[in-house]
Amino acid sequence: MKKLLTKKRIVLRCFAVLALMLIIGGCGEKKEAGGNKQEDEKASESSHDADSVKSNSSDSEKVYDGSTNEPNVFELDWDEFKSRWEQNLNSLGRPELGTIENEQEKESAYGLLKSGTLDETELFGLSANTDRDTGKIITVVASGFESEEGIESGNSVFFAASALIDVADPTLSTNKVLELTEKLGLYGTITDEGQIVIEENGLIYTSMAQETNDMGPLVSLTIQKAAE
């Protein structure tokens, strides 16, 4: 129990740090997945894991698909984002990740930082920087610790990160969401890469894996608007 409580505190701190760090420092250089022998080998090794995640997504009816006129996440405030998140995760058959709990709100130099936990373990969560005046989202982050069982267990952090792509830009087709999920290493390979940055449809996606002392990799996906 003590170890679990320690993890909870660390995760909640990490949400805030990751969201602020990426909005202050930007996303760095883009690293597109694929294109060389080593990466092709990794893609082959992770194909079974990819199929496992794809089956979770493709077997369920998707709420937002490429034909929608729904705005992207940066036109939403925190409450609107939570509603879309819950609807989407329920449709994907993961209602345990659909409710954002233990919400916190903190002042930052860029507005209000809002965060909450997902899943009964509370070791995964979402956070967003929001504009102090309009309440609209500036940056949104999904993060958590990789489970000991790995991706085949339906690991919440990887699934939540993939779902965040879907929620952030509802104009993306299911195939495009799965393509971005793979490129960003969200079938588990991001733990070997450290960081991958991709720009798609005016949004910048940054996946990261940071080693911790004794808790396994802290995995995150941050999404923000590309510079106009």
Side-chain angles (χ1 to χ4, degrees):
M1 174 64 82
K2 184 176 180 181
K3 184 176 181 181
L4 179 60
L5 291 174
T6 300
K7 285 185 177 183
K8 289 180 184 178
R9 288 194 292 269
I10 292 174
V11 171
L12 289 172
R13 286 200 299 268
C14 287
F15 295 161
V17 170
L18 285 166
L20 289 173
M21 178 179 66
L22 283 164
I23 201 166
I24 291 171
C27 289
E29 296 181 0
K30 297 178 194 173
K31 181 177 181 182
E32 296 284 355
N36 61 49
K37 182 177 179 181
Q38 183 178 11
E39 288 172 337
D40 288 343
E41 289 174 351
K42 286 181 179 178
S44 176
E45 290 170 358
S46 65
S47 61
H48 177 72
D49 296 340
D51 290 341
S52 175
V53 175
K54 286 178 182 178
S55 65
N56 274 331
S57 299
S58 60
D59 290 346
S60 302
E61 180 182 355
K62 182 180 172 184
V63 175
Y64 307 103
D65 212 333
S67 60
T68 183
N69 292 319
E70 291 282 342
N72 68 34
V73 70
F74 302 104
E75 298 299 319
L76 307 180
D77 61 24
W78 176 248
D79 288 335
E80 291 168 334
F81 166 71
K82 288 195 302 177
S83 177
R84 181 183 287 184
W85 175 266
E86 181 176 5
Q87 184 181 13
N88 192 276
L89 269 292
N90 286 342
S91 75
L92 292 175
R94 296 298 298 270
E96 78 280 9
L97 297 178
T99 302
I100 301 173
E101 301 177 333
N102 304 313
E103 292 184 46
Q104 298 184 15
E105 182 177 293
K106 296 181 180 180
E107 289 280 347
S108 77
Y110 300 90
L112 294 176
L113 180 66
K114 302 193 178 189
S115 62
T117 58
L118 305 170
D119 188 277
E120 60 185 12
T121 67
E122 299 180 358
L123 298 180
F124 311 94
L126 296 173
S127 61
N129 274 296
T130 60
D131 185 273
R132 187 177 288 104
D133 296 324
T134 67
K136 301 300 184 183
I137 289 176
I138 300 170
T139 301
V140 65
V141 182
S143 58
F145 290 95
E146 180 183 5
S147 73
E148 294 179 357
E149 293 80 9
I151 190 70
E152 290 185 6
S153 68
N155 188 304
S156 296
V157 61
F158 292 112
F159 193 93
S162 178
L164 186 60
I165 299 172
D166 202 8
V167 172
D169 186 355
T171 68
L172 297 177
S173 67
T174 299
N175 286 340
K176 176 56 73 171
V177 171
L178 293 174
E179 178 186 323
L180 288 174
T181 297
E182 185 168 11
K183 285 185 175 181
L184 288 163
L186 298 176
Y187 296 137
T189 55
I190 182 59
T191 57
D192 299 321
E193 302 290 348
Q195 177 174 311
I196 299 173
V197 183
I198 294 174
E199 182 175 339
E200 180 72 34
N201 202 23
L203 303 183
I204 296 176
Y205 301 83
T206 302
S207 58
M208 297 178 65
Q210 299 170 306
E211 290 294 334
T212 59
N213 290 334
D214 61 353
M215 297 164 64
L218 174 64
V219 178
S220 68
L221 174 67
T222 300
I223 304 176
Q224 60 192 119
K225 284 193 216 180
E228 296 180 356

